[in-house]
Amino acid sequence: MADTTGNTGKTAGNSGETASGEANSSPRKSSWKYVGPGIVVAATGVGAGDLVATLIAGSNFGYTLLWAAIIGCVVKISLAEAAGRWHLSTGRTLFDGWESLGRWTTWFFVVYVVIWGFVYGAAAMSSSGLPLQALFPDVMDLKWWAILTGLVGLVFVWFNKYAVFEKVMTVLVGVMFVVTVYLAIRVTPNLGDAFAGLLPVLPDEKDSILNTLGLIGGVGGTITLAAYGYWVNAKGWTNTGWMKVMRLDNRVAYATTGIFVIAMLIVGAELLHASNVAIASGDKGLIQLGDILEDEYGTATSKFFLIGFFATSFTSLIGVWHGVSLMFADFVERFRARRGASATGDEAAAGAEAGSGEAVASGAREKSWPFRAYLLWLTFPPMILLFEGQPFRLIILYGVLGAAFLPFLALTLVWLLNSSRTPREWRNGPLSNGMLVVAGLLFIVLCVKQIWDQPWSEFF
């Protein structure tokens, strides 16, 4: 399923170049054999927290918000497609595009990845350690399981390039798929109610609009949507000849996400809503679900679910370890190239070379010191939080910056893909503009709510 022969190189016969060494941008036939980056972005974007949010939606509202979960996947398709289209149509990376909009984008990105990475690293390790502790309860404490998963993720990403990373992610997605679909079938869904849930109806509850928008915007939506274009380049897709392939790949990504979301909403509706059982928010809600499954269906089903829980959490961990490190490496290499060329006055050309899709496709970025430095930042400093707890003010900043990133992504993509920075043929059409504007407005609403809900009186 994950053909990695598309990686560009310098030899004749390579899928990225002609025999003369020129880039080959003739259209490739859209084929399932090329699918890969989409699997990676789907696996990374759907974490344990997303599964819990969907479970709770099913628990609280039954099938009523099924339509909202599906719309959420469609919104993410438009965002990831836009990011991939920018990379392929311009030959530039997304950070290169952001930088062209002004220095403010650089400052936002730097502050975001430093603070976000520090807090996310601890959360990702804890989430991956929880199912292991549940599977092997007498071996060691949660924090040591968390540290172990972080170190395994570090070593794996450090010593492997994209091709191996994609294959492992594909295997783990297969585990996630089998587990979630099995559970959905096991709880025996009410198909009549499920089809009724496709009608856009709001629950008759307080704050139902905000809860609905939260479900639409929450599942599968993180910085990994921006990383999709980098994985497209890392696969070896660097020009418009891969556009049809990328679009198929992107649809597969969010069809896969949709299946995960629908399956977990079915579990929440049938197993929790029907029995009026509530679970905690956050990753511990999945541990509770494992206990409920053991009571209802036996130990084997519970253990099977915990394996799927681990696959879900660990794919998010190594996906961020790889994808965001690749983005950080792009930022640093571009900055270094411009600084190095400042003496000659050729900064623009140096920056353009550093910010090209070909530079990502070469694989050199995955072995660069900025890539590995950010890997270390994601792994070791967050371990402090596993022992000391999470600093209150830092968590508030993390929440605000995280909420601000998706509006930033959606609206900058609208800007980039409607300007002369993008070749006319590949600029946004009415549908793309409509979807990105809707996504931007949705995420602005959720961002404002997130900021409003923070305990600012305690912050100062």
Side-chain angles (χ1 to χ4, degrees), residues 66-120:
L66 181 59
W67 63 273
I70 293 172
I71 287 178
C73 293
V74 174
V75 168
K76 305 312 184 310
I77 285 175
S78 66
L79 280 167
E81 188 276 339
R85 177 155 44 93
W86 166 265
H87 277 249
L88 295 183
S89 65
T90 65
R92 325 297 311 143
T93 63
L94 186 54
F95 186 83
D96 183 85
W98 284 339
E99 191 180 41
S100 73
L101 300 179
R103 189 159 291 187
W104 65 275
T105 60
T106 300
W107 286 110
F108 176 79
F109 177 78
V110 171
V111 173
Y112 175 81
V113 296
V114 170
I115 294 177
W116 181 88
F118 181 58
V119 179
Y120 180 83

Side-chain angles (χ1 to χ4, degrees), residues 310-343:
F310 172 73
T312 301
S313 298
F314 194 64
T315 51
S316 292
L317 186 152
I318 61 175
V320 167
W321 264 229
H322 186 277
V324 184
S325 297
L326 204 54
M327 294 180 69
F328 183 77
D330 182 44
F331 155 71
V332 174
E333 294 293 353
R334 185 173 172 78
F335 178 77
R336 290 175 66 202
R338 280 188 177 276
R339 253 185 108 176
S342 61

